[in-house]
Amino acid sequence: MIPRILIVSDVSDARAKGLAARLDRRGAVVATVPLAAIAFDTGSPSGLSIPGFDGALPDAVLVRSIAAGSFEAVTRRLGVLHAFGKLSIPVWNSAQAIERCVDKSMTTFLLKNAGLPTPPTTAVEGRAMAETIAERELPFTPLVLKPLFGAQGRGIRLIETLSDLPAEDEVNGVYYLQHYVPRPGPPFRDFRVFVCAGEVLAMMSRRGDDWITNVNRGAVPEQVSGQVSVHAETELAALARAAAAAIGADFAGVDIVPAADGKLFVLEVNSMPAWSGLQSVVAVNIADAIADALLKFLADRTEAAAARPSRLTAPANS
């Protein structure tokens, strides 16, 4: 059977094009469609209408990106992903995993409840409650304020005094406050570990003069091997696998920061990670690895379904 794969992305996304090309080379039929173009449609047999599928459904959905939009638009788009799951279509990553990653407070909650090391964090509504948290914590540690929904280091602030807290309208009334992890610098370093199907594909160190070490903010990607001990590399891999599992992500970019004493803390899990910087310092082709993992998952799923006895099969005589 030739698998039909739907890649959800802006069609201009370079990584989506790379994934489509690699799946195509492996014999899959691939269509790249923005999530905004997929309709709920009661006139369709499945209840969904997908451009280019003529009423049919894909064998799997690979979510590369979800465009920004109104609260209503994004809710509807995530609803489409939930609908695929309801129809038993594998979705990498599922709507639930994406929702968990987009909401940093839920990410932190799940990491903590999985027993993973993550900095002490409080997420509250209203400046009064934020001031109460800051008054309690600031005598002992600076705090990092992050937008609840945000990526690539945008909107992150270091809170060292009460006056550093922004007005409510600047953070939509929600204050996500996390203990700052002290570490040597500049230069500052952290790690991005890419996990797919429960295995670590690659990892990099990010070095920057800014304590916010995102590549798009000028940090330089570097190989991990040779910078840390084999033990530390093994620990990074184990933490990343456990973090992706805690979120329920099929593939993810896991951000891990080392404290000054060497202890590692998981900061974030990204369900729609970019990998240009990572790809520049590792040998494995990440798009190839994702394509192989997804197609293997589908082949194993088909084989398992074929091996299950039919309900119509008569039981053997005893």
Side-chain angles (χ1 to χ4, degrees):
M1 182 187 75
I2 298 176
R4 301 187 72 184
I5 310 297
L6 169 64
I7 296 177
V8 170
S9 176
D10 182 332
V11 292
S12 65
D13 180 78
R15 283 169 289 276
K17 290 180 178 178
L19 286 167
R22 284 158 176 82
L23 287 164
D24 180 72
R25 289 175 201 160
R26 288 157 173 77
V29 175
V30 187
T32 301
V33 178
L35 198 51
I38 301 173
F40 283 104
D41 182 359
T42 58
S44 168
S46 68
L48 293 174
S49 177
I50 310 167
F53 277 76
D54 299 322
L57 288 170
D59 296 301
V61 178
L62 184 59
V63 183
R64 172 56 219 137
S65 64
I66 300 176
S70 67
F71 179 78
E72 291 82 359
V74 172
T75 298
R76 193 203 68 86
R77 293 169 195 171
L78 288 170
V80 170
L81 297 182
H82 278 294
F84 281 124
K86 183 69 175 176
L87 294 167
S88 298
I89 306 298
V91 181
W92 284 25
N93 284 303
S94 70
Q96 184 180 56
I98 292 170
E99 289 165 349
R100 289 171 168 179
C101 289
V102 168
D103 176 359
K104 290 184 177 64
S105 60
M106 178 53 71
T107 301
T108 303
F109 171 82
L110 292 169
L111 293 173
K112 176 65 175 177
N113 277 268
L116 297 173
T118 193
T121 304
T122 306
V124 297
E125 294 186 31
R127 186 183 169 91
M129 292 187 70
E131 288 181 354
T132 299
I133 301 303
E135 288 173 344
R136 184 185 72 201
E137 303 295 340
L138 286 178
F140 310 101
T141 178
L143 297 172
V144 177
L145 174 73
K146 300 179 182 179
L148 201 64
F149 307 142
Q152 298 183 331
R154 292 188 290 267
I156 295 178
R157 308 185 191 194
L158 188 64
I159 308 299
E160 297 180 286
T161 67
L162 285 178
S163 63
D164 292 331
L165 286 171
E168 288 190 21
D169 60 358
E170 295 182 56
V171 291
N172 294 319
V174 176
Y175 294 80
Y176 175 98
L177 296 164
Q178 187 170 74
H179 281 205
Y180 174 75
V181 178
R183 61 195 195 274
F188 298 92
R189 295 181 186 274
D190 72 353
F191 302 99
R192 164 61 65 89
V193 184
F194 202 104
V195 178
C196 182
E199 299 295 331
V200 171
L201 296 185
M203 63 178 72
M204 69 174 171
S205 169
R206 297 182 292 197
R207 173 179 54 83
D209 294 331
D210 189 356
W211 64 275
I212 305 173
T213 47
N214 292 82
V215 172
N216 73 307
R217 291 175 64 103
V220 177
E222 297 179 337
Q223 293 183 356
V224 170
S225 297
Q227 289 193 27
V228 301
S229 67
V230 173
H231 172 77
E233 197 167 342
T234 300
E235 187 180 0
L236 283 167
L239 282 175
R241 286 194 300 267
I247 301 302
D250 297 293
F251 66 97
V254 182
D255 292 339
I256 301 174
V257 62
D261 62 3
K263 185 176 180 181
L264 298 174
F265 291 90
V266 181
L267 292 184
E268 294 185 18
V269 181
N270 302 274
S271 61
M272 293 178 284
W275 58 80
S276 298
L278 176 61
Q279 187 64 80
S280 71
V281 297
V282 299
V284 62
N285 187 291
I286 294 168
D288 277 337
I290 295 172
D292 286 338
L294 179 59
L295 293 178
K296 182 180 185 304
F297 172 85
L298 289 177
D300 290 347
R301 189 172 186 254
T302 300
E303 184 179 345
R308 285 194 294 267
S310 170
R311 293 181 181 179
L312 299 179
T313 301
N317 293 331
S318 57

